[in-house]
Amino acid sequence: MDIFNSLLRTLISGICGLGADAHPMIGLTLVSILTGIGMLWVFGKTSDQEAIARTKKRLQAYLLEMRLFGDDISLVLSAQKKLIRDNFRYLGLMMRPMLFLTAPLLLLLIHLDGFYGARPLQIDEQAVVTLQAAGRLDADAPVPELQAPAGVHVETPGVRVMETGQMSWRIRAERPVEGSLTFRQGDTEWTKSIAAGEPFRYLSIRRVSGLWDALWHAGEDRLPGDQVEWIEIRYPAAEVPFAGIELHWLIWFFVISMLSAYLLRGRFGVTF
């Protein structure tokens, strides 16, 4: 899982980064267009294109029948019944390609959110770092020592919540930095990446230890051992600006990818 996530992080960072000074919309537009083309290709290969075309023609015919014979109640009711039946048939034809597209799209969205969903800390901005231990905390156990890289100041000692097994610290970015926080407890240590400054970059909000959790939190390799479940930095949420409008990246992504797929459907010979 770590190798797989690492490859996807490298790919997304390469496409979306496009240089440190590039506007974030450039990379997002590129990956959205590529996604639209990929969806067209998968849809064309996994769907019954002839059946979809026939069903669409029947739906259009039933609508036309209802309009032409609007005074004949029996014909209208019959056309409505057939329209509903073929609508369900059309949805059924859409299900197969959607099943093939769901898993790749979900993985892509997880990694795109790592790049566009949050922003690095700004200079003098504070954040809370939380370590989730596996199980309840022992009242006599020492709090792990938190060491921050140069440019990040640890403002508070660790605060423990015994029932939930969590320990939290408040940190503050003093200058642009890209490094790791280190948590030490005896001979054991865990690390968590941290970033401050500009621009957009791939951020790991939560580093986890579980294999299943690593699918949803793919920003870093899994934590070693089983003493710590996850370590999280609460980065601020980000929005992507374009033409004076700031929107969540997911809105831009779906608008551009769907529009690309619609405009290129003829070139790929795909009907949907």
Side-chain angles (χ1 to χ4, degrees):
M1 180 62 75
D2 288 341
I3 296 175
F4 179 70
N5 283 336
S6 178
L7 290 174
L8 285 179
R9 288 197 301 269
T10 302
L11 178 63
I12 293 299
S13 297
I15 295 175
C16 297
L18 293 176
D21 298 327
H23 192 283
M25 198 64 186
I26 297 176
L28 183 56
T29 299
L30 177 59
V31 75
S32 300
I33 294 174
L34 292 175
T35 301
I37 293 173
M39 288 191 298
L40 276 177
W41 185 84
V42 173
F43 193 93
K45 293 296 183 180
T46 59
S47 63
D48 189 339
Q49 288 289 289
E50 292 183 0
I52 291 174
R54 289 196 304 268
T55 304
K56 287 183 65 177
K57 288 180 180 178
R58 285 199 300 268
L59 291 172
Q60 293 169 357
Y62 299 144
L63 290 171
L64 183 60
E65 183 179 353
M66 292 169 59
R67 184 173 182 179
L68 291 176
F69 304 102
D71 296 333
D72 192 326
I73 299 301
S74 61
L75 286 178
V76 170
L77 291 177
S78 176
Q80 287 179 339
K81 180 180 178 180
K82 295 175 182 177
L83 185 66
I84 294 173
R85 181 198 64 194
D86 276 31
N87 263 308
F88 279 107
R89 181 175 296 170
Y90 178 77
L91 291 175
L93 292 169
M94 295 293 107
M95 287 301 296
R96 183 180 179 184
M98 288 301 104
L99 290 175
F100 281 94
L101 285 168
T102 297
L105 271 178
L106 182 60
L107 287 173
L108 178 62
L109 294 179
I110 289 171
H111 283 271
L112 285 177
D113 194 61
F115 198 94
Y116 293 108
R119 61 167 176 79
L121 299 177
Q122 302 300 303
I123 308 305
D124 288 329
E125 188 172 23
Q126 298 172 327
V128 175
V129 181
T130 300
L131 182 149
Q132 174 67 63
R136 290 173 58 91
L137 296 175
D138 185 349
D140 298 326
V143 177
E145 177 188 1
L146 172 56
Q147 295 181 345
V152 177
H153 177 60
V154 181
E155 294 190 327
T156 65
V159 177
R160 298 187 293 180
V161 181
M162 309 303 293
E163 292 77 10
T164 60
Q166 292 185 356
M167 291 165 275
S168 296
W169 297 258
R170 189 176 69 213
I171 60 173
R172 178 170 52 83
E174 296 179 324
R175 61 177 176 81
V177 64
E178 189 167 4
S180 295
L181 300 172
T182 301
F183 302 80
R184 286 195 174 90
Q185 190 173 51
D187 296 331
T188 307
E189 71 174 36
W190 307 272
T191 60
K192 172 73 187 75
S193 65
I194 184 171
E198 298 288 350
F200 275 86
R201 67 190 76 179
Y202 201 116
L203 294 177
S204 168
I205 296 176
R206 177 178 291 190
R207 187 181 183 188
V208 300
S209 61
L211 183 63
W212 175 252
D213 291 336
L215 180 65
W216 307 100
H217 304 281
E220 292 181 83
D221 292 347
R222 288 180 294 154
L223 289 164
D226 57 1
Q227 295 174 275
V228 175
E229 292 185 2
W230 49 262
I231 303 174
E232 178 183 84
I233 299 176
R234 297 177 188 173
Y235 287 107
E239 292 186 334
V240 179
F242 180 70
I245 303 173
E246 292 190 358
L247 294 174
H248 191 276
W249 71 268
L250 200 56
I251 299 175
W252 293 122
F253 173 79
F254 276 115
V255 168
I256 298 172
S257 60
M258 292 296 105
L259 184 60
S260 300
Y262 180 78
L263 294 176
L264 295 172
R265 71 193 188 284
R267 181 174 294 274
F268 283 82
V270 174
T271 299
F272 51 79

